[in-house]
Amino acid sequence: MQLLKYELLKIFQQKSLYVIFLFLLVFATLIADFPNVDLLKKDVYHRWEGPLTTEKVQQAEKNYQVLSKGFNLENTAFTLTDLSKLGMYEEIAVLHSTESANEKQISNIKNEHHYNSELQINMLQKVDHLNYVYNYRGPQQMIDFISFLSFLITGVMLLIGLSSIFSREYSSGVDHYILSTKKGRKALVWAKLGAALLYTLSVVSTLELYNFFITIIRIGNEGWKAPIQILFDYHRSPYAFNLLEYHLIQIGLHLLAAFGFALLILLISSVNKHALMSFFISAGIFAFPYIREFTQVQWLKTLLSFSFPYVMKVKPLFVDFQTVNVYDYPVLLPIMAGIIMLISSVIFILMIFKVMEHKQVTT
């Protein structure tokens, strides 16, 4: 326990962590802080909240046609309130069309005979509550924060905090003393693993608390019962989750992938004597999967979907129906991603112990 405390102290004593973390939070607040627009949207949503009736859909369509005629960026008479109303009318139209599209999609899938057709139909049939208008701006902001900013801040903080966790021992020569016995070596590895995972948990937890309180202050906390299909990016999602259920799953997968990436950083640090080299190698591995956005090779895109940054974003796993064919059995992409993160973490831990065992033999 003392060794664990010592390793935690070494991580949290890095002053650069606090400076960079504060800078990233300020940056996140500045680029996401549009309080006037959010408050206007909240007021507009309250006027339209409730069951999505035919009359409400027709009225929204009529209002949209009238208001959109005056939409012009150079038109000074067109206010932020008008812009918020346009967005509200568009979302009502999307929500209404999503329910119809869902029924049509089920009908089309029944005519197909893919290995995953039955699973997709069962999931789509469970999607409900698409006939209700919610004020969901708060939950939307919290969900978007993880897929847009939190995964990036978490990655940066893990790189800065953990890249030197083993390397500093090598550069200072302390490893010759600590790894002199089998018991000391194992105790050291377990302490560093525990410290790294606790540090990762603290980063993710702090970001989630920041996310929660900044959203409460700016927008409010209403609308968690709305289905995820109410969000534009998720309107094709077959998952029958409300926003609260999805956000909890989102945090879980984000944290699991962050744990996996933290262990990978430790593995790289364990074989590298230079902290700066460990940092750049780990950063390269974190950044490399973004070639997914530029490649048209489908198998590569699928493979990169299971990379640490994409699983930490979570969103790419849930926006559509995606499965992996395992002996003609469909495994949902989020489930497969979670399994891969767990297996990867175990492999990294075993490899770290193996590396440290080898180093003790050669010293």
Side-chain angles (χ1 to χ4, degrees):
M1 186 60 71
Q2 284 298 115
L3 195 54
L4 174 61
K5 291 180 181 178
Y6 178 66
E7 291 298 331
L8 280 171
L9 189 62
K10 285 197 293 185
I11 293 175
F12 285 100
Q13 275 184 337
Q14 301 177 76
K15 295 180 181 179
S16 59
L17 290 179
Y18 303 99
V19 175
I20 294 172
F21 193 56
L22 181 60
F23 170 79
L24 291 173
L25 287 184
V26 171
F27 173 74
T29 304
L30 289 176
I31 67 172
D33 192 16
F34 300 101
N36 293 331
V37 176
D38 288 326
L39 290 174
L40 287 171
K41 287 181 178 179
K42 182 177 180 179
D43 184 52
V44 171
Y45 271 82
H46 273 309
R47 298 178 186 178
W48 288 84
E49 242 182 323
L52 187 61
T53 61
T54 303
E55 292 77 12
K56 189 176 289 186
V57 173
Q58 292 174 346
Q59 185 62 49
E61 184 179 355
K62 186 183 298 182
N63 291 357
Y64 179 83
Q65 291 175 351
V66 173
L67 193 58
S68 61
K69 290 179 180 178
F71 177 67
N72 190 317
L73 293 177
E74 297 178 359
N75 184 359
T76 55
F78 199 86
T79 65
L80 287 175
T81 301
D82 294 329
L83 190 62
S84 297
K85 288 179 180 179
L86 271 182
M88 178 75 258
Y89 303 147
E90 288 176 350
E91 289 183 20
I92 288 176
V94 170
L95 190 61
H96 179 63
S97 64
T98 298
E99 185 173 21
S100 303
N102 195 33
E103 296 172 358
K104 184 178 180 180
Q105 188 177 7
I106 292 174
S107 178
N108 291 336
I109 295 171
K110 286 180 179 179
N111 298 323
E112 301 172 356
H113 300 284
H114 297 306
Y115 77 100
N116 57 7
S117 295
E118 185 178 352
L119 174 62
Q120 187 175 10
I121 290 172
N122 290 337
M123 293 177 68
L124 288 170
Q125 287 176 336
K126 294 177 182 178
V127 175
D128 198 5
H129 305 301
L130 296 177
N131 58 347
Y132 196 94
V133 179
Y134 296 85
N135 174 25
Y136 60 91
R137 309 307 297 186
Q140 180 186 28
Q141 290 292 324
M142 292 187 67
I143 288 170
D144 286 347
F145 182 80
I146 287 183
S147 60
F148 178 54
L149 285 172
S150 185
F151 87 97
L152 187 60
I153 297 175
T154 299
V156 171
M157 295 306 298
L158 295 185
L159 287 167
I160 296 171
L162 303 178
S163 293
S164 62
I165 195 165
F166 279 103
S167 303
R168 73 164 69 94
E169 313 289 6
Y170 303 147
S171 60
S172 64
V174 176
D175 62 310
H176 290 280
Y177 301 100
I178 298 177
L179 306 178
S180 58
T181 65
K182 184 177 181 181
K183 183 178 179 181
R185 182 191 68 238
K186 286 188 175 180
L188 174 71
V189 173
W190 281 119
K192 288 186 181 294
L193 288 172
L197 295 181
L198 286 173
Y199 169 71
T200 303
L201 179 61
S202 70
V203 170
V204 173
S205 300
T206 303
L207 282 172
E208 178 60 19
L209 287 173
Y210 162 83
N211 187 15
F212 178 75
F213 284 111
I214 203 72
T215 302
I216 290 294
I217 293 170
R218 290 173 54 234
I219 309 171
N221 195 35
E222 303 172 59
W224 285 106
K225 292 183 179 180
I228 62 172
Q229 288 77 15
I230 203 169
L231 305 181
F232 180 77
D233 291 336
Y234 296 83
H235 75 277
R236 287 178 52 85
S237 176
Y239 295 91
F241 301 137
N242 61 36
L243 297 182
L244 177 59
E245 292 167 339
Y246 173 66
H247 187 55
L248 293 175
I249 293 170
Q250 187 185 33
I251 295 171
L253 274 174
H254 174 76
L255 181 60
L256 184 60
F259 280 155
F261 184 55
L263 292 170
L264 176 60
I265 295 174
L266 260 64
L267 175 60
I268 293 170
S269 181
S270 70
V271 299
N272 205 309
K273 293 185 178 182
H274 304 286
L276 197 59
M277 186 63 70
S278 298
F279 175 86
F280 283 118
I281 292 174
S282 301
I285 292 174
F286 189 76
F288 175 76
Y290 286 101
I291 67 169
R292 184 182 186 275
E293 307 298 328
F294 307 101
T295 182
Q296 300 300 319
V297 182
Q298 189 56 47
W299 67 266
L300 182 59
K301 290 174 73 75
T302 302
L303 183 64
L304 293 175
S305 297
F306 301 115
S307 60
F308 293 112
Y310 274 91
V311 179
M312 285 170 68
K313 288 178 74 171
V314 185
K315 175 181 173 180
L317 303 174
F318 287 91
V319 294
D320 209 340
F321 179 75
Q322 302 176 79
T323 61
V324 177
N325 188 351
V326 181
Y327 298 107
D328 289 331
Y329 182 82
V331 179
L332 291 167
L333 206 64
I335 295 175
M336 181 58 73
I339 292 172
I340 290 175
M341 291 299 105
L342 285 172
I343 293 175
S344 299
S345 297
V346 172
I347 291 174
F348 294 153
I349 291 172
L350 294 175
M351 290 178 70
I352 291 169
F353 275 103
K354 199 69 177 176
V355 167
M356 300 311 291
E357 180 183 358
H358 179 70
K359 279 191 172 294
Q360 196 259 349
V361 170
T362 57
T363 53

